[in-house]
Amino acid sequence: DGGITQSPKYLFRKEGQNVTLSCEQNLNHDAMYWYRQDPGQGLRLIYYSQIVNDFQKGDIAEGYSVSREKKESFPLTVTSAQKNPTAFYLCASSPGGYTEAFFGQGTRLTVV
Amino acid sequence: QQPVQSPQAVILREGEDAVINCSSSKALYSVHWYRQKHGEAPVFLMILLKGGEQKGHDKISASFNEKKQQSSLYLTASQLSYSGTYFCGTEERPGGGADGLTFGKGTHLIIQP
């Protein structure tokens, strides 16, 4: 089945550590996105990529990094520079052209 | 700029109607609507484009008032399955949504039997 897969579903990190969230899609979509969701805040765009080997910062990119070496994969690294990383992270992909974006099931990151 | 959604929350009885609004202080090119159930991925509902027609399927429809920069989502004869949080995502320039969306904070909809 085609879809977008995020792993792990739950992730715990100690303060000061970097952690990488995985996002893989087999929908052959060019565009991929990372959003952060906090209670009562909606979804906020972290990074997006419209093509392999290219990506742009979204509204809240500070403390995060991404790579897009393959069309199918768009991992997000939460670095120690991110001051408040505890949140629900959603990855999405889209073929573009004003069609729907498909979201993964999310990764809930907790800093302990 | 983050669009403003209203109301923040609404509780309905099954079969009642609901309207959720999404407003922006900036000129919008498109408005996208999603529904998210707790702990799950958002699910696409529809897209409205500037200059486009009102859209809808089944008992969920939406409109886009370009003069007011406001979109409204209409849920008719609500069903229990309509419960969840509704988000609007907006785009200020034509990009096919490829540059990502700016989402509102969401409207929590609870449908009671």
Side-chain angles (χ1 to χ4, degrees):
Chain A
D1 288 336
I4 182 164
T5 302
Q6 290 186 240
S7 62
K9 189 171 183 178
Y10 299 96
L11 188 58
F12 296 88
R13 189 196 91 173
K14 291 184 179 179
E15 284 192 29
Q17 286 183 339
N18 292 355
V19 64
T20 298
L21 283 59
S22 171
C23 178
E24 303 276 335
Q25 55 99 358
N26 59 4
L27 299 167
N28 200 32
H29 289 169
D30 287 316
M32 296 188 73
Y33 313 86
W34 275 105
Y35 289 93
R36 169 178 171 145
Q37 188 172 26
D38 295 283
Q41 294 300 316
L43 288 74
R44 292 181 291 170
L45 184 63
I46 304 173
Y47 269 97
Y48 65 99
S49 169
Q50 298 183 13
I51 197 169
V52 174
N53 292 322
D54 188 44
F55 48 82
Q56 280 76 40
K57 293 182 179 179
D59 300 320
I60 56 165
E62 184 175 352
Y64 300 98
S65 66
V66 294
S67 63
R68 187 84 187 275
E69 297 177 359
K70 297 186 300 181
K71 188 175 185 177
E72 303 80 24
S73 179
F74 192 40
L76 174 74
T77 297
V78 184
T79 74
S80 56
Q82 170 51 235
K83 300 304 179 188
N84 186 21
T86 295
F88 189 52
Y89 291 87
L90 285 161
C91 180
S93 71
S94 170
Y98 292 108
T99 56
E100 66 178 287
F102 293 82
F103 284 83
Q105 293 299 309
T107 293
R108 188 166 298 280
L109 173 65
T110 303
V111 174
V112 297
Chain B
Q1 180 151 0
Q2 191 173 31
V4 177
Q5 288 187 233
S6 62
Q8 289 184 324
V10 58
I11 301 174
L12 298 175
R13 292 283 184 191
E14 197 173 7
E16 292 181 336
D17 301 340
V19 180
I20 299 171
N21 297 307
C22 174
S23 299
S24 175
S25 59
K26 296 198 172 184
L28 300 176
Y29 190 81
S30 69
V31 180
H32 306 226
W33 285 97
Y34 286 81
R35 175 173 62 212
Q36 184 182 31
K37 295 190 181 285
H38 184 70
E40 297 182 6
V43 173
F44 173 79
L45 295 175
M46 63 190 75
I47 296 173
L48 297 104
L49 302 182
K50 179 179 179 179
E53 298 177 353
Q54 180 167 339
K55 296 224 172 190
H57 54 84
D58 197 12
K59 295 176 182 176
I60 300 177
S61 62
S63 63
F64 181 16
N65 185 322
E66 294 173 35
K67 289 184 179 179
K68 293 184 178 180
Q69 301 306 324
Q70 176 176 301
S71 178
S72 296
L73 186 70
Y74 308 94
L75 298 99
T76 306
S78 58
Q79 306 168 15
L80 294 176
S81 61
Y82 287 2
S83 292
T85 302
Y86 289 77
F87 293 99
C88 67
T90 60
E91 190 179 38
E92 294 172 11
R93 64 175 189 269
D99 295 338
L101 302 173
T102 303
F103 285 92
K105 294 185 177 182
T107 295
H108 301 285
L109 177 63
I110 299 173
I111 309 296
Q112 295 178 334

